[in-house]
Amino acid sequence: ISSALLARGMPAMPLPRLVAGSWVHGTLATWIGDADKNAAWDMLVDARRVVDEVLAQEGIDPERQRCIERQLALCESSDWFWWFGDYNPADAVTSFDRVYRQKLKRLYQTLRIPAPAYLDTPLCRGGGRSESGGVMRRGAA
């Protein structure tokens, strides 16, 4: 609920039911649940914790803060997790995996902190056929 609506007197009300706002099968499984997807989220959570620690320091240069926030947004802003998983084609998975890890490494560089060694190791490889990957899968006839 928006704080603006609350400020105008709209009462807070419980939601009797909440569903995933995804157009993909009505679930969030395209982005989370698979071991590789979950590992990628864990990497992002680790990086976010470090960002929060650095930004909590007093006297941080505003330009440096903007650079950190921009790089974090790049790590958070794509459907990186969509592409992770064995059912997606290897070429797409390999490419997204590499670029995702590069974005995280750049974030650590911007934070002036050594990147975790696990960012040097590919997260997943894929292996599905092109027509079976992603969400645009063939339907059953």
Side-chain angles (χ1 to χ4, degrees):
I1 293 180
S2 167
S3 58
L5 292 175
L6 293 173
R8 291 194 330 223
M10 178 177 245
M13 299 171 58
L15 286 172
R17 183 171 165 252
L18 183 65
V19 297
S22 170
W23 60 271
V24 184
H25 311 297
T27 74
L28 300 178
T30 297
W31 296 273
I32 197 162
D34 175 89
D36 294 335
K37 295 174 189 296
N38 292 349
W41 280 107
D42 289 341
M43 292 175 180
L44 183 58
V45 168
D46 289 346
R48 180 61 202 228
R49 282 189 194 121
V50 175
V51 166
D52 290 344
E53 290 170 11
V54 169
L55 294 182
Q57 297 172 6
E58 288 188 37
I60 189 165
D61 174 57
E63 180 59 28
R64 181 173 173 226
Q65 181 171 343
R66 278 191 292 281
C67 289
I68 291 168
E69 290 170 347
R70 177 164 169 27
Q71 189 63 33
L72 176 62
L74 292 172
C75 295
E76 294 176 335
S77 65
S78 179
D79 278 336
W80 301 114
F81 312 98
W82 174 308
W83 294 103
F84 301 142
D86 290 339
Y87 55 87
N88 280 314
D91 57 343
V93 171
T94 300
S95 178
F96 275 87
D97 178 13
R98 180 180 43 78
V99 173
Y100 178 67
R101 290 181 296 106
Q102 285 175 341
K103 298 286 184 199
L104 286 170
K105 285 180 185 180
R106 178 69 177 127
L107 176 59
Y108 283 98
Q109 183 181 17
T110 305
L111 291 165
R112 301 178 187 155
I113 293 174
Y118 60 72
L119 291 177
D120 292 326
T121 304
L123 178 63
C124 55
R125 305 208 186 283
R129 295 175 31 208
S130 293
E131 65 270 13
S132 301
V135 172
M136 305 308 175
R137 299 178 192 143
R138 287 181 198 232

